[in-house]
Amino acid sequence: GENVEQHPSTLSVQEGDSAVIKCTYSDSASNYFPWYKQELGKRPQLIIDIRSNVGEKKDQRIAVTLNKTAKHFSLHITETQPEDSAVYFCAATRSGGGADGLTFGKGTHLIIQP
Amino acid sequence: NAGVTQTPKFRILKIGQSMTLQCTQDMNHNYMYWYRQDPGMGLKLIYYSVGAGITDKGEVPNGYNVSRSTTEDFPLRLELAAPSQTSVYFCAHSNRGTEAFFGQGTRLTVV
């Protein structure tokens, strides 16, 4: 089955700086890669996703890049703000829309220092 | 509420007891899932369903059972609770090719 590795486990950045979180996946057939943000005690919520036919996607301060050859994808957050502090999870699936569920990384605790 | 209601929010079980976690979605989505999240870990798939009457095992199905008699409901049954089942459980749903919407979670402690 799919295996998703996520790094780093903790990331501390100064407010206003950029943050980058990286994930690698094992199944070359995976074709959908979402990123979820989870605040303490809350449910995971989708912040951005990318499909295998696209190399990069942006949504305001958030971007995701995908390298299918290397089987890795990354989340980029620019101009970080205190409300960006949370745990971020990457995930992967081969079923396009996730019919058979998502395989998650272990998460990155992003800390924004004032 | 992301179109999904999960109950209960919290529960303490004794070893060997059984319980059912309820999950109901009102967005008429075909796909539904149960995940568990252990401290400091990502979510692991327990069971999933692609439609009423169809269920399949995920990565960590042992000790759990599910049913899907309607599109809306996807209950998760724990039989003979064990300390290893202490976790936060999330129900989720999605439509083909779209994001998964998660419930608020059930924090379960087995003592």
Side-chain angles (χ1 to χ4, degrees):
Chain A
E2 175 66 277
N3 182 53
V4 177
E5 299 284 342
Q6 183 172 348
H7 299 280
S9 56
T10 303
L11 178 60
S12 181
V13 301
Q14 291 294 124
E15 182 179 348
D17 287 350
S18 296
V20 180
I21 302 170
K22 298 181 179 181
C23 289
T24 60
Y25 61 98
S26 61
D27 187 350
S28 57
S30 286
N31 53 21
Y32 175 65
F33 308 91
W35 286 87
Y36 282 82
K37 176 183 181 181
Q38 186 179 31
E39 297 175 348
L40 188 62
K42 301 289 182 64
R43 75 188 79 196
Q45 292 191 291
L46 181 77
I47 55 170
I48 196 167
D49 57 11
I50 192 167
R51 300 186 186 277
S52 59
N53 58 347
V54 176
E56 183 175 4
K57 185 177 179 181
K58 287 184 180 179
D59 184 3
Q60 299 182 345
R61 296 186 297 109
I62 295 173
V64 58
T65 58
L66 171 65
N67 184 327
K68 286 190 295 182
T69 302
K71 289 191 285 187
H72 67 70
F73 56 113
S74 300
L75 177 72
H76 304 253
I77 305 175
T78 59
E79 300 173 8
T80 53
Q81 300 169 3
E83 54 265 35
D84 294 330
S85 293
V87 179
Y88 291 80
F89 293 97
C90 62
T93 180
R94 59 159 54 197
S95 59
D100 54 356
L102 298 167
T103 300
F104 284 86
K106 291 185 178 180
T108 295
H109 186 193
L110 178 61
I111 302 165
I112 308 301
Q113 302 280 5
Chain B
N1 67 347
V4 55
T5 301
Q6 238 185 281
T7 56
K9 291 184 183 179
F10 305 94
R11 182 73 185 268
I12 298 175
L13 276 183
K14 293 185 178 180
I15 294 171
Q17 287 185 321
S18 300
M19 75 166 293
T20 299
L21 282 67
Q22 301 292 344
C23 177
T24 300
Q25 54 105 355
D26 60 9
M27 297 180 71
N28 202 35
H29 284 169
N30 285 325
Y31 305 157
M32 295 189 75
Y33 318 88
W34 276 104
Y35 292 89
R36 60 176 286 173
Q37 184 177 31
D38 298 327
M41 302 290 285
L43 290 83
K44 291 186 182 291
L45 184 65
I46 305 171
Y47 269 96
Y48 66 98
S49 169
V50 298
I54 306 169
T55 62
D56 261 306
K57 296 179 180 179
E59 183 182 357
V60 290
N62 290 345
Y64 307 94
N65 276 300
V66 294
S67 59
R68 185 93 183 272
S69 56
T70 66
T71 299
E72 296 77 21
D73 298 307
F74 190 41
L76 177 72
R77 177 84 177 160
L78 278 73
E79 304 283 1
L80 299 175
S84 60
Q85 293 179 305
T86 293
S87 190
V88 180
Y89 292 84
F90 287 99
C91 174
H93 63 96
S94 73
N95 208 0
R96 184 179 176 85
T98 66
E99 72 176 279
F101 297 91
F102 285 83
Q104 64 189 0
T106 296
R107 188 172 297 276
L108 175 67
T109 303
V110 182
V111 296

